[in-house]
Amino acid sequence: VFAKPGGEDMMSSVVHLLPGAPPAPAPAAAAAAGGCAPTLLPGPLHKHNRGALDWGTANLVAYACHAYVVVVTLDPLAVTQTLDEHRAHVSAVRWRRQGVHYKWEDAFQLTLASGDLSGNLIIWNVAEATVMKTLESTVSTTTEQRAVLDIQWHPDDPASLFSLHTGGLLYCWNINSEKTVAKIELPSAIAAFTLHPYEPEQIALVSTDGQLHVAQGSKTAKQGVSRFGDLWETKHIASPHVHLPTDAPVQIFFSPYERRLIYIVFSHQVVIFDVDLNSCIGDLVQEASRSSFIQVTLSPSIPNALLCNHADGGITLWIKEPENTFHYTRSWTSDHFRFYKPTLSSKTKKGSSYLFATAASPFVQRKPRVVTVTYDGLLWVWQLPTNPSKTCVSKEEEGVDSNGSRASSKREFADTKPSLHIVGMMSTVSHNGPVSCLTVLHGQNPLVAFGTFSGYLQIVDMRTRAVLRQFQINNGIPLRGLSWLNTTCVVFYTSEETTKGAFKNQVTLHDISTGRTKLIRKGTDAETTFIRSLRVSPLSQYMIVMLKDKAFEVWDLDQGLLFDTLPQLQITALEWCPQSSTQLSIHQDSTAVSKQREQCVATIADGSLLFFTVGNGAVVQNTTVGSVGMAIISAITWRDHMLVCGDTSGTIYCWDLEKKTAQMFSTNKGVIRKLAFSPSAHSRLLLVLFSEGEFGIWDVANAVRISISSYLIGRDLKALDVEWIGPATPIVATSDGALRVLDRSLSISNSGMFSATLHHPLRSPYLLPATQAAYLKVVLQHACHPLYVNQTQESMQSVTSSFSVPVVAPRSGSVPHLLSLMPAKMLDYIRNAKIPKRCYTVAKYYGDLKEMRFWHLTCKALKKFNKRVEKTKDKPALMTYLPLIMEREKTGKREYAKEEQSDNDKVKLFATDKKTLIAPKETVPAKRQATHQEPFMTNLLQDSPQLIEHEKARLNTYQPTAEAYDQVQHAHLHMYLGMKDQAINLLLQTLPTSDNYVVDLLHAALIAASISQHSFEETMGYVAANMIQNGLLWQGVRILCIIGRVLHAAQCLQQAGLWVDAAWLAKVALGEDEAATVYEQWATHLVNSNLKYQAIEILIHLGQFCGVLQLLHDINLRPTAMLFAESCTEAGMLDPDDDNTCELPYFEHSLSPRRLIELVNLDYGFYVLSMGNTAAAKEHLLKG
């Protein structure tokens, strides 16, 4: 039925059907040269892994599986790393954002935090699979109260990590000192928390009784973010008239698009709460009869949609209703996971959700996707609808994503019906049940075949850790005794107990290349015994079926016939005599040749050794050796002239048949179940498996133990089967459903991920070593210029003679090869784009959100101020334009927004933030402006008209009532926005029973007086100052705004440390010149507080490019500084020959543009020199 061992036809089919399949078995020495590094092949998940899934900015996905973490690449969909160090089940994982780094050696380190049920947190270096820090929790003495529920990194401080524990306590850790620096607790236990994405000192918390709180971290000047955590002020922000659901909350998160807007997820409702308005402004409600929510996901690609996971495995997509409301309606439902449920473990509660967690991409994608992980360990990739509703956002973020396609946050108008599609699935080992047996086909790329207790057969390529083939052989019947016959055929047996004491015993051959099976031992009749084991001869000619309390059967594998039985009935163990591997191929053509005889050895109950010869259709007993030991022999193995036996007491007996010597030693571990020699020809390492699930390695030549599996025993894991996969690396199937490849010490299953073969296209640069990833980024930022791609060994002695900087050898000789692996569309875009957009695309490819934001703002600022320069006829000095920021009147109109040309045939240029070229007869659709949606902090850096319209629309989403006394806050916001008549009407609605009745009337009178009585301003200014001085800050600020002194009000807020509130007030209520003063003071504060990178964003918006360049130079961001200088010079914003010093208030010693550009080139020259590119370094050093 099947090809003979070594058949060329079958071998060619394997090469065609199984990529990377090894050649036919080689001699022992060549086979021993195979193997693989320590690793782990994940299996099904545990119930405590629910919700532990995160999609990082490096375009890698991490999820928890039992007590280890799995890292997956999405294209190709494959496991790229496993992290196995926890001693308890992992309950939370979180990537640290790839941010700004001041040393290129640290810039490409993948960092992940994971927490477990014991309350411990581990900070991982993912690329090297090493533990950077271990944070041991001392929350409580009981394990139930120490478990980690959630972890989140501080958005701005890479050294701060927050962890929420089951005891209801929230801790802030400093990972450098490995200590907690803050603790937050509420009267009721904290159920969930979230950090504000742009104001990270604010944390929203919701307790188990549904109460909403906000914690504010204290921070003083000269302090960095990593040291803010000693004092926290926690306040309950929901008013008594806001009725939240009474059930325990499931999740909470800030909206990245609205200022202080919080989504609170309950079992059947999602409440949208506005902190400023102190009101619920929207909701998402489903019927009580439907399954409850377990997780809600917001994708950056479609901000007006919510993806909800349900307890029964269903997935629903909810779309925001039109007209700027925050009410959602169900648009689409998927029941895929409700009906597709494989057999779950007996430990899993009936009715538990098959769907464990969902995560969305952190970037805006042209084809938005989410990933879900299910109980059986499968990872699913879903594609979301690209246009769930009519939306449109800024065009400035256009670029090319990591998939190689042009990506933009702009979304076209369409009325397509939303739907979700499965676009990928990653299979894992034993996802249909625990492993029951395994066998290894040794070679350059080892293949592992294993059977499961549920009747599945899987073939795994250990080189790629991918499941190549999967077959369902028997439904729910364990596969056992698996062995390779040749490179394409395996044999195994099953024993099914049909009735009590009656068994159906079958032996099956399976061709993995075609999927065909053949029953050798059909087992049609019920038997009173079962198969104990199966032994295949070294030449794959014969097979012995070992039955319980019955004569062992000897089968001819070529013909599939039973031809004899062994004469003894009480055989306890059996093994074949090893043969020379050069005799494997005995069928060279169709002419049959006589079979070679093969020998085997067996032991009986009294300890005697029996030797048999099998051949010529008969089994002949040769010799008998006396009793071996006192206990029953339970396992035998034979290598060359070394015969080793193990008994039920844990004693190992060794015979050297050539030297005729014997020795014995005790393991003290109980019954020995399996013995196996290392595949290395001259090795005497012995792998020993015990019946209780322990195993170890012994050196039988010296009778010493090398290692024992205490690593797994300490994690309450048992070995189900073990086998050698390399000369000193065993592979073990453990009770958690995973396959682990361990080192010789049996304590390491982690290894670096750089040895893996790179695939085309290369979606994540973090799959490369740090030196290659760093230099590849330099090449891409310079548009793949030959000076950086084709390095030379030119000496730098003439350039570096006056500098003590070592010149290292180039480390990127494979740059052309790496560029060939990159997506072609992305590479073409990078080569042709200008510097800001090119660097934005490279930053997105490297997952650096801060750098993406920097280049996005730079691109907008250069366009904005370049248009102003072009509009001026008599152009004065360049620096006179830099302070002219945000030149907008209070009406929101721009003087420079007039048409450049009156000719209808010419294209008109409108200097809006979008910088869109519009034909003369075209107008911007009103709906497109109304639905414009960007993150809140980006709104602060936009023009005022859009922000004002957005705030007015937000107020219209909620109708206040006098009974709830929430109309006052609305009145104040109306007043800020210049809607004074509406503010007066709202204030007059205050009930007489209110304590603030008189105060509200006074406010209404003041507003009315401000409309026509200008003499009243001085008096009210004095009142406002008095109120501020006596602690009534906001009351005084409101009065100042009423009488038109908004700049003074913003400065009072700044003096109180409310910098973001001051910026918001200036943006919506001041002219551009006055608002610029507020923003400049904000930037000065950030510089003095050593938060220079945050100040850079403000200065970019102000157009103070010289100040931005000096700050980049001060904080040692050499590549960014050099590229920013080139982009500003190219746009005409910086003059490299200008020696006039830029007088900036936030610098003690300001520098001229020429001197700054020289210093930046000098620093960058040494930066490139440290990477070994002497030619490029020479060019930049000479410019300095």
Side-chain angles (χ1 to χ4, degrees):
V1 177
F2 300 106
K4 306 300 180 181
E8 296 181 359
D9 294 339
M10 184 61 72
M11 186 61 219
S12 62
S13 66
V14 172
V15 174
H16 176 69
L17 295 173
L18 298 180
C36 60
T39 186
L40 188 150
L41 280 72
L45 275 61
H46 191 271
K47 62 180 181 180
H48 293 301
N49 302 136
R50 188 180 304 278
L53 172 70
D54 191 30
W55 190 334
T57 56
N59 206 26
L60 298 175
V61 173
Y63 69 91
C65 185
H66 285 264
Y68 54 90
V69 180
V70 184
V71 179
V72 178
T73 59
L74 296 177
D75 193 2
L77 196 58
V79 175
T80 187
Q81 183 61 284
T82 52
L83 309 170
D84 186 15
E85 195 65 35
H86 283 278
R87 292 183 176 270
H89 291 112
V90 179
S91 54
V93 295
R94 192 74 62 184
W95 289 100
R96 185 168 69 181
R97 289 183 177 181
Q98 300 304 119
V100 176
H101 299 274
Y102 307 128
K103 293 183 180 180
W104 70 267
E105 296 88 347
D106 303 330
F108 305 95
Q109 178 175 285
L110 284 172
T111 305
L112 178 77
S114 57
D116 58 29
L117 294 183
S118 65
N120 294 333
L121 298 121
I122 294 181
I123 313 301
W124 296 92
N125 182 334
V126 177
E128 299 178 2
T130 56
V131 176
M132 299 169 57
K133 300 288 183 180
T134 300
L135 310 178
E136 297 183 359
S137 174
T138 57
V139 175
S140 174
T141 57
T142 60
T143 304
E144 291 77 9
Q145 294 183 348
R146 291 202 306 264
V148 177
L149 294 178
D150 191 14
I151 50 180
Q152 292 187 27
W153 290 94
H154 192 284
D156 293 332
D157 182 13
S160 294
L161 179 69
F162 292 83
S163 64
L164 177 64
H165 300 260
T166 50
L169 297 179
L170 179 64
Y171 283 83
C172 177
W173 299 81
N174 186 301
I175 64 174
N176 294 330
S177 62
E178 302 183 20
K179 296 180 180 179
T180 58
V181 296
K183 181 179 73 172
I184 306 174
E185 56 183 331
L186 300 177
S188 300
I190 301 174
F193 79 102
T194 180
L195 273 70
H196 197 293
Y198 304 108
E199 300 177 50
E201 295 79 24
Q202 290 189 4
I203 303 179
L205 311 106
V206 60
S207 57
T208 53
D209 58 359
Q211 297 296 315
L212 182 62
H213 298 75
V214 167
Q216 179 73 38
S218 62
K219 195 172 61 169
T220 60
K222 303 292 185 182
Q223 279 189 320
V225 223
S226 60
R227 298 182 293 277
F228 67 83
D230 286 327
L231 300 176
W232 289 83
E233 295 180 3
T234 306
K235 63 178 181 178
H236 181 214
I237 63 171
S239 66
H241 299 279
V242 176
H243 300 288
L244 298 178
T246 57
D247 56 331
V250 177
Q251 184 184 358
I252 183 173
F253 58 91
F254 273 103
S255 170
Y257 305 100
E258 304 289 341
R259 186 171 185 252
R260 296 172 186 170
L261 200 65
I262 301 176
Y263 289 75
I264 312 171
V265 183
F266 295 88
S267 60
H268 287 81
Q269 183 178 0
V270 179
V271 176
I272 305 167
F273 191 89
D274 193 313
V275 179
D276 288 336
L277 301 178
N278 198 24
S279 306
C280 296
I281 65 170
D283 58 8
L284 181 158
V285 182
Q286 70 166 354
E287 301 83 350
S289 59
R290 288 184 172 269
S291 180
S292 60
F293 296 123
I294 60 174
Q295 185 183 4
V296 174
T297 304
L298 176 63
S299 173
S301 301
I302 44 174
N304 59 337
L306 295 176
L307 190 69
C308 303
N309 296 349
H310 296 263
D312 62 352
I315 300 177
T316 56
L317 185 68
W318 299 70
I319 304 300
K320 187 190 299 184
E321 295 178 357
E323 300 178 359
N324 293 305
T325 65
F326 285 95
H327 297 277
Y328 290 77
T329 57
R330 186 187 298 108
S331 173
W332 188 86
T333 302
S334 171
D335 294 326
H336 175 78
F337 293 129
R338 291 182 58 195
F339 301 106
Y340 175 69
K341 293 185 180 180
T343 303
L344 300 181
S345 171
S346 59
K347 298 181 181 180
T348 305
K349 294 182 179 180
K350 185 177 180 180
S352 61
S353 175
Y354 174 66
L355 181 62
F356 266 39
T358 300
S361 170
F363 303 118
V364 174
Q365 296 178 313
R366 183 170 182 172
K367 296 180 179 180
R369 295 184 177 184
V370 297
V371 295
T372 58
V373 63
T374 50
Y375 168 79
D376 53 7
L378 297 179
L379 191 74
W380 306 77
V381 182
W382 298 75
Q383 182 172 315
L384 298 177
T386 54
N387 300 290
S389 65
K390 296 181 178 182
T391 58
C392 179
V393 297
S394 175
K395 186 182 177 183
E396 296 298 334
E397 295 188 13
E398 182 179 353
V400 175
D401 59 18
S402 59
N403 293 326
S405 59
R406 188 177 297 274
S408 174
S409 57
K410 177 180 180 181
R411 285 170 285 276
E412 302 295 336
F413 291 90
D415 292 321
T416 58
K417 184 178 180 179
S419 61
L420 276 73
H421 307 282
I422 297 176
V423 295
M425 185 194 73
M426 185 191 73
S427 178
T428 57
V429 301
S430 67
H431 65 268
N432 290 299
V435 176
S436 57
C437 58
L438 63 89
T439 181
V440 178
L441 181 63
H442 294 284
Q444 185 177 1
N445 297 318
L447 289 183
V448 175
F450 61 89
T452 68
F453 283 96
S454 57
Y456 280 80
L457 172 66
Q458 288 183 313
I459 312 298
V460 177
D461 184 354
M462 296 304 299
R463 178 178 58 89
T464 60
R465 291 185 284 195
V467 178
L468 298 180
R469 291 288 186 272
Q470 176 176 293
F471 308 95
Q472 184 177 7
I473 307 299
N474 293 296
N475 187 14
I477 304 175
L479 306 185
R480 300 186 185 276
L482 195 63
S483 297
W484 288 95
L485 293 182
N486 51 55
T487 58
T488 62
C489 187
V490 294
V491 61
F492 54 87
Y493 73 88
T494 58
S495 291
E496 179 186 6
E497 187 174 10
T498 56
T499 59
K500 186 175 181 179
F503 298 89
K504 182 179 180 181
N505 300 316
Q506 295 180 333
V507 179
T508 306
L509 293 179
H510 185 86
D511 190 330
I512 63 174
S513 62
T514 63
R516 293 185 299 167
T517 60
K518 177 185 178 183
L519 287 176
I520 293 184
R521 194 182 194 278
K522 297 183 180 180
T524 55
D525 299 329
E527 303 178 68
T528 58
T529 184
F530 57 88
I531 299 177
R532 289 170 43 194
S533 186
L534 192 103
R535 293 289 185 270
V536 178
S537 67
L539 299 181
S540 299
Q541 299 179 116
Y542 308 107
M543 173 184 65
I544 297 178
V545 180
M546 304 168 64
L547 299 167
K548 175 70 174 178
D549 301 328
K550 189 176 179 180
F552 289 6
E553 301 173 352
V554 183
W555 289 74
D556 187 325
L557 286 176
D558 289 336
Q559 301 179 7
L561 298 175
L562 170 67
F563 69 89
D564 206 345
T565 59
L566 295 183
Q568 297 291 339
L569 297 179
Q570 296 183 345
I571 296 178
T572 60
L574 181 143
E575 188 57 83
W576 289 93
C577 173
Q579 299 287 334
S580 172
S581 58
T582 58
Q583 301 173 347
L584 277 177
S585 181
I586 62 173
H587 297 272
Q588 301 296 336
D589 51 34
S590 60
T591 305
V593 296
S594 60
K595 293 186 178 181
Q596 298 184 10
R597 295 182 179 183
E598 298 191 65
Q599 292 183 335
C600 64
V601 61
T603 60
I604 56 178
D606 62 0
S608 300
L609 289 174
L610 307 178
F611 292 87
F612 299 92
T613 300
V614 181
N616 296 330
V619 178
V620 179
Q621 181 177 345
N622 297 330
T623 58
T624 302
V625 179
S627 178
V628 174
M630 300 298 293
I632 297 176
I633 300 299
S634 56
I636 302 178
T637 187
W638 198 343
R639 160 67 63 80
D640 297 333
H641 53 80
M642 182 72 70
L643 180 65
V644 180
C645 300
D647 64 16
T648 54
S649 66
T651 303
I652 296 178
Y653 305 89
C654 304
W655 288 272
D656 191 323
L657 303 180
E658 184 178 43
K659 298 180 180 179
K660 301 185 182 303
T661 59
Q663 60 178 341
M664 60 174 288
F665 52 90
S666 178
T667 63
N668 300 317
K669 293 293 182 180
V671 179
I672 296 176
R673 202 174 92 197
K674 184 176 183 179
L675 298 172
F677 272 109
S678 168
S680 178
H682 305 289
S683 175
R684 290 297 178 262
L685 295 181
L686 184 70
L687 187 61
V688 183
L689 175 64
F690 301 95
S691 61
E692 295 299 322
E694 288 189 76
F695 64 99
I697 299 176
W698 271 262
D699 183 352
V700 296
N702 301 309
V704 295
R705 188 182 74 183
I706 302 299
S707 56
I708 196 68
S709 61
S710 56
Y711 162 78
L712 297 179
I713 298 301
R715 289 159 174 76
D716 197 24
L717 296 176
K718 295 183 178 180
L720 304 178
D721 198 2
V722 295
E723 187 61 77
W724 290 99
I725 197 170
T729 54
I731 182 172
V732 52
T734 51
S735 55
D736 60 354
L739 290 178
R740 285 175 168 85
V741 178
L742 304 175
D743 68 340
R744 179 171 169 171
S745 67
L746 303 183
S747 62
I748 297 178
S749 61
N750 300 327
S751 58
M753 64 183 185
F754 300 131
S755 58
T757 303
L758 297 178
H759 298 273
H760 180 275
L762 182 63
R763 301 299 185 190
S764 176
Y766 295 96
L767 300 178
L768 302 172
T771 53
Q772 293 187 18
Y775 192 78
L776 178 62
K777 186 174 184 179
V778 172
V779 173
L780 296 177
Q781 287 175 332
H782 288 277
C784 305
H785 192 278
L787 186 64
Y788 298 88
V789 176
N790 303 319
Q791 295 188 63
T792 64
Q793 297 288 346
E794 181 182 355
S795 173
M796 285 291 296
Q797 185 175 4
S798 60
V799 180
T800 61
S801 58
S802 58
F803 302 99
S804 57
V805 176
V807 178
V808 296
R811 301 171 182 172
S812 53
S814 59
V815 169
H817 172 65
L818 296 179
L819 292 178
S820 67
L821 294 177
M822 292 193 60
K825 291 183 179 179
M826 176 189 293
L827 210 56
D828 292 340
Y829 181 85
I830 288 174
R831 285 170 173 163
N832 298 320
K834 292 186 177 181
I835 294 177
K837 287 190 175 182
R838 180 204 312 158
C839 293
Y840 174 86
T841 303
V842 174
K844 185 174 183 180
Y845 181 59
Y846 278 80
D848 194 333
L849 295 178
K850 286 191 174 182
E851 192 172 357
M852 288 173 58
R853 182 180 175 84
F854 173 86
W855 289 111
H856 171 60
L857 295 173
T858 299
C859 184
K860 293 175 58 178
L862 290 177
K863 286 185 176 181
K864 177 179 180 179
F865 290 98
N866 191 32
K867 298 303 179 184
R868 296 185 181 183
V869 173
E870 293 176 357
K871 289 287 183 177
T872 305
K873 296 181 179 179
D874 300 326
K875 181 177 178 181
L878 177 63
M879 291 303 296
T880 61
Y881 290 96
L882 301 184
L884 298 178
I885 50 127
M886 300 151 46
E887 296 180 1
R888 176 183 65 231
E889 298 178 356
K890 291 186 178 180
T891 58
K893 298 181 179 179
R894 300 173 181 264
E895 295 179 356
Y896 53 89
K898 299 177 181 179
E899 300 179 4
E900 282 191 357
Q901 300 180 26
S902 59
D903 190 355
N904 291 334
D905 296 333
K906 301 292 184 179
V907 176
K908 300 177 183 180
L909 182 65
F910 294 86
T912 61
D913 281 343
K914 295 184 179 181
K915 299 295 186 297
T916 308
L917 292 176
I918 306 176
K921 296 182 179 181
E922 287 184 302
T923 58
V924 180
K927 288 187 177 180
R928 185 169 295 199
Q929 292 181 354
T931 56
H932 179 87
Q933 192 167 15
E934 288 191 359
F936 164 70
M937 288 299 292
T938 306
N939 281 339
L940 287 183
L941 306 182
Q942 293 288 327
D943 292 333
S944 295
Q946 285 92 349
L947 182 58
I948 293 174
E949 291 299 324
H950 178 76
E951 295 295 333
K952 288 181 180 179
R954 184 163 70 103
L955 289 178
N956 294 330
T957 62
Y958 178 76
Q959 297 299 326
T961 59
E963 290 78 10
Y965 193 69
D966 56 358
Q967 84 282 2
V968 176
Q969 186 67 22
H970 285 259
H972 298 323
L973 291 176
H974 279 89
M975 181 266 298
Y976 292 145
L977 296 173
M979 304 162 66
K980 294 185 177 182
D981 293 335
Q982 293 88 331
I984 293 173
N985 292 332
L986 288 172
L987 288 171
L988 292 177
Q989 294 177 12
T990 304
L991 298 177
T993 56
S994 174
D995 294 336
N996 296 324
Y997 178 69
V998 177
V999 177
D1000 291 342
L1001 291 181
L1002 176 60
H1003 285 175
L1006 290 176
I1007 296 175
S1010 68
I1011 297 176
S1012 59
Q1013 300 180 13
H1014 299 286
S1015 61
F1016 202 61
E1017 294 181 1
E1018 291 296 329
T1019 303
M1020 297 314 299
Y1022 175 80
V1023 173
N1026 211 356
M1027 297 177 70
I1028 294 174
Q1029 185 177 2
N1030 289 278
L1032 301 176
L1033 173 64
W1034 283 105
Q1035 290 85 339
V1037 167
R1038 290 161 189 161
I1039 292 177
L1040 290 175
C1041 292
I1042 291 172
I1043 62 178
R1045 300 183 181 181
V1046 182
L1047 178 59
H1048 186 196
Q1051 291 172 343
C1052 291
L1053 290 174
Q1054 289 182 331
Q1055 292 174 2
L1058 303 177
W1059 297 94
V1060 176
D1061 294 293
W1064 179 87
L1065 181 61
K1067 179 64 68 172
V1068 300
L1070 284 178
E1072 295 194 2
D1073 292 336
E1074 292 178 322
T1077 303
V1078 176
Y1079 274 64
E1080 189 171 288
Q1081 291 174 351
W1082 187 13
T1084 303
H1085 163 74
L1086 292 173
V1087 172
N1088 295 334
S1089 301
N1090 200 26
L1091 301 176
K1092 296 181 178 180
Y1093 194 85
Q1094 298 180 27
I1096 286 175
E1097 297 181 350
I1098 308 299
L1099 296 180
I1100 291 176
H1101 180 62
L1102 295 178
Q1104 298 186 9
F1105 302 111
C1106 193
V1108 172
L1109 188 58
Q1110 187 162 344
L1111 280 178
L1112 291 172
H1113 171 70
D1114 288 349
I1115 60 179
N1116 203 28
L1117 291 180
R1118 293 174 286 182
T1120 307
M1122 197 282 302
L1123 292 166
F1124 181 78
E1126 286 190 356
S1127 60
C1128 290
T1129 303
E1130 184 180 278
M1133 295 293 103
L1134 286 179
D1135 185 359
D1137 298 325
D1138 186 1
D1139 289 324
N1140 297 320
T1141 302
C1142 305
E1143 297 297 336
L1144 302 172
Y1146 33 81
F1147 289 122
E1148 294 182 2
H1149 304 287
S1150 300
L1151 301 175
S1152 65
R1154 185 185 64 81
R1155 183 54 183 161
L1156 275 175
I1157 294 174
E1158 290 177 353
L1159 291 176
V1160 165
N1161 275 280
L1162 191 64
D1163 289 345
Y1164 190 72
F1166 287 118
Y1167 175 81
V1168 177
L1169 180 61
S1170 66
M1171 296 183 178
N1173 191 334
T1174 57
K1178 178 179 179 180
E1179 180 174 312
H1180 288 283
L1181 289 174
L1182 291 176
K1183 291 181 180 179

